[in-house]
Amino acid sequence: MMYLESHPFYPCTQAEKRAIRKEVGIKDGIFQEDIDAILDWFYKEPHLADAVIDRDYVENMLVSTRCSREKCKRKIDNFYRYRSYAPELIQTRIEQLSNPDYDPWSFYRQAAIPKLFNGKRISVFQLTDPNPSNFDSEVALRNTIMLGDLRLKYDYMLGDIWIMDLLNATIGHVLRVNLALMQKFTHIVQDGIGWKLYEVHIVNASSFSQHFVNLFKPFVKPKIMERIRFHANMEELREFIPKQYLPKDFGGDQPSLDEFKELYRTEMQKPLSKDHLIKCCQQVSNEQKRNSDVYNEDFIMGSFKKLDID
């Protein structure tokens, strides 16, 4: 039985991988047939045939859909389509990855906790700069998609748990969010990648926190909104997430977010990460070649609902 290549950001033991495969009902012989069938379908689709795809990515998508070929095909199709509509979030990484001095986490921190929590990957986001003028939502969204591309090849888990620290967040930050890019990002993550999001924890929550959450309402499914929990402090968070799965900044045992930042900056310049991230720029469809079910970008990215931050 073969497993995906490992990555320093996303370690997973062989025992954890076996447990995850058992949980989603994977049978190795049939599973390899599933991957072959998906790849055969992919290369027969005119709008996808020239794009890049590999078995690791297909395996990850099959795991997330619990081995449903048809669900997997829909997600892959969505993933490539929505990425083709967001070149500013995908193609612009090439220039940044070519600059070894570029700091993609200058105003915030984000990290995936290496230790799986009941088969789930915990991702932590913390806004570190209280000055809204230094906040750039395009940078944060692009970084998250890049890390997602690495996860789609190297990670192995049942789904996600997100933790967001809003201690330094203000209305000024919210007003600087590019809503058009937020919608494109949400389509890629929610309709394309589609990992199950089990929990969302908002830490250092205040009266402002609901305004922040309202930013996502026009774009995400209602069931995701129902999974959001607000915590006034780190102590409340640790009632739900044990300290061995939290960074030092959160009173946990994992490395600090600054330590994660340095690890990420270093590793993303190494061939294992950098070469793959540049290759992933070719994970886009050619919508001009789509046989049927033609989508209009202006319709998909259409008018926004009124953003309620009152």
Side-chain angles (χ1 to χ4, degrees), residues 257-274:
L257 290 176
D258 280 342
E259 290 173 308
F260 275 117
K261 172 187 173 179
E262 291 309 310
L263 170 66
Y264 280 32
R265 286 189 64 187
T266 300
E267 289 295 332
M268 288 179 72
Q269 288 295 325
K270 294 181 179 179
L272 179 67
S273 299
K274 183 177 179 180

Side-chain angles (χ1 to χ4, degrees), residues 219-243:
F219 312 124
V220 303
K221 298 174 182 177
K223 64 181 179 181
I224 300 299
M225 303 300 294
E226 295 170 359
R227 294 171 187 164
I228 297 176
R229 294 178 180 270
F230 294 92
H231 308 288
N233 50 53
M234 299 298 182
E235 289 74 18
E236 289 186 12
L237 172 66
R238 290 195 291 271
E239 294 177 11
F240 295 87
I241 308 293
K243 62 181 296 188

Side-chain angles (χ1 to χ4, degrees), residues 36-53:
D36 290 338
I38 295 295
L39 290 172
D40 183 62
W41 158 81
F42 184 92
Y43 287 119
K44 288 179 179 178
E45 293 293 325
H47 63 291
L48 296 174
D50 296 329
V52 165
I53 193 170

Side-chain angles (χ1 to χ4, degrees), residues 16-45:
E16 287 172 325
K17 290 177 181 178
R18 285 193 293 269
I20 289 168
R21 282 172 164 249
K22 183 178 180 180
E23 172 72 20
V24 300
I26 291 175
K27 296 180 180 178
D28 192 54
I30 298 175
F31 192 54
Q32 296 307 316
E33 292 178 7
D34 289 336
I35 295 175
D36 290 338
I38 295 295
L39 290 172
D40 183 62
W41 158 81
F42 184 92
Y43 287 119
K44 288 179 179 178
E45 293 293 325

